[in-house]
Amino acid sequence: MNRWQNLNMLLLWEPVRAEAECFVKHLILLLTGLIKLSLLIFISQCVRQDRKHFWMRLENCCIKEIRRGKSPKYTVNSTVLVFAQKCNTKYNGIDVSLAQYLDETTLKHYPSDEYMQDGDVVINSTGTGTLGRVGIYRYTDNTTCLSIVPDSHVTVIRSFSCISSHYLYAFMKAHQSELEKKGEGSTNQKELKPLTLKEMLIAVPPLSEQEHIENAICTAFSRFAVIEESLN
């Protein structure tokens, strides 16, 4: 085989190799996502079997009223971002780079508790395929360091300090499949209403156990993060 034939084979192989690498990357992300979810479901089942816990309505776990954000007015650039459903991704956690800018002339409509805080649990609340998806927002997700508010398709859950936000996220994420089925409305316009979320029952173990669970989750997820980062 001469060098021209070798060159032709390389030119033909390159797009195939690139496509194969992309497929493997997405497969690994899918598998890590499934393992994370399986871990959270396992933890939730362990908590439910432990008689030390008690049950609370989600509404009674929260320091902030369970509600969606506001319909935003966007602009090209500003000092405030808008957290949309697409920022709560299916496999890659929270991605603030997908957020758009809020028109600052509307800031008077946003009270201080409307701004997202570290540990807020976020739930996609409209649309088939994304409704019910649970995520947790951390300040470390927001490399822009800009303030950020949720839009009208995202519900924010902010717990009392006596309930670990990571534990609450873990419990709700483990029950995401149930939330996905609780949308109301027509097929493509289903909505997960705040009232439905308020009535959700949460198993609450002692704070020390919540913190133990939080540490276990953070340790496991940090190891998955190393794998995911190596794919970039």
Side-chain angles (χ1 to χ4, degrees):
M1 185 178 294
N2 62 42
R3 60 182 181 179
W4 299 113
Q5 290 174 315
N6 285 333
L7 179 60
N8 286 333
M9 287 189 67
L10 286 172
L11 291 173
L12 290 171
W13 167 247
E14 186 61 27
V16 175
R17 182 182 64 81
E19 188 173 334
E21 288 180 350
C22 183
F23 172 78
V24 171
K25 176 180 177 180
H26 282 87
L27 180 60
I28 293 173
L29 288 173
L30 173 62
L31 289 174
T32 55
L34 290 173
I35 294 171
K36 287 179 185 178
L37 183 58
S38 298
L39 173 63
L40 297 179
I41 291 173
F42 173 73
I43 290 172
S44 173
Q45 289 173 340
C46 290
V47 170
R48 292 170 73 100
Q49 293 170 9
D50 188 344
R51 296 184 180 180
K52 294 178 183 177
H53 73 267
F54 57 94
W55 292 92
M56 291 180 66
R57 297 284 181 188
L58 181 59
E59 179 179 20
N60 298 323
C61 298
C62 298
I63 194 171
K64 174 182 179 293
E65 181 187 356
I66 297 174
R67 63 175 185 262
R68 295 184 200 166
K70 302 180 184 298
S71 297
K73 180 180 179 182
Y74 294 111
T75 188
V76 176
N77 193 22
S78 77
T79 60
V80 182
L81 298 171
V82 178
F83 188 98
Q85 291 193 127
K86 61 184 177 182
C87 299
N88 183 18
T89 70
K90 190 171 185 177
Y91 300 120
N92 298 326
I94 302 299
D95 188 350
V96 174
S97 70
L98 299 174
Q100 294 178 270
Y101 293 102
L102 178 71
D103 188 330
E104 293 184 34
T105 62
T106 64
L107 287 179
K108 60 185 178 183
H109 301 299
Y110 290 84
S112 58
D113 71 345
E114 194 76 16
Y115 292 83
M116 292 177 65
Q117 298 181 11
D118 189 57
D120 279 351
V121 176
V122 291
I123 304 174
N124 293 3
S125 298
T126 61
T128 304
T130 185
L131 180 145
R133 185 181 302 157
V134 181
I136 183 167
Y137 170 77
R138 302 304 306 266
Y139 284 149
T140 51
D141 296 319
N142 188 356
T143 56
T144 68
C145 296
L146 297 177
S147 299
I148 188 165
V149 295
D151 75 3
S152 56
H153 300 289
V154 175
T155 304
V156 172
I157 309 294
R158 186 173 301 155
S159 63
F160 284 107
S161 58
C162 59
I163 299 177
S164 162
S165 57
H166 265 90
Y167 168 74
L168 185 59
Y169 159 72
F171 188 89
M172 295 188 72
K173 187 70 174 179
H175 293 80
Q176 178 174 293
S177 61
E178 298 170 24
L179 294 175
E180 290 170 347
K181 298 173 184 176
K182 291 188 175 182
E184 299 178 37
S186 60
T187 304
N188 295 320
Q189 299 295 326
K190 286 188 178 295
E191 297 186 6
L192 182 58
K193 296 183 177 180
L195 180 60
T196 303
L197 291 169
K198 289 177 181 180
E199 294 176 347
M200 181 179 182
L201 282 170
I202 306 294
V204 183
L207 185 57
S208 59
E209 187 174 338
Q210 293 178 43
E211 291 171 345
H212 179 71
I213 291 170
E214 177 178 346
N215 291 334
I217 292 171
C218 289
T219 299
F221 278 31
S222 64
R223 292 175 180 172
F224 285 122
V226 172
I227 298 172
E228 292 163 355
E229 185 67 27
S230 68
L231 298 175
N232 296 329

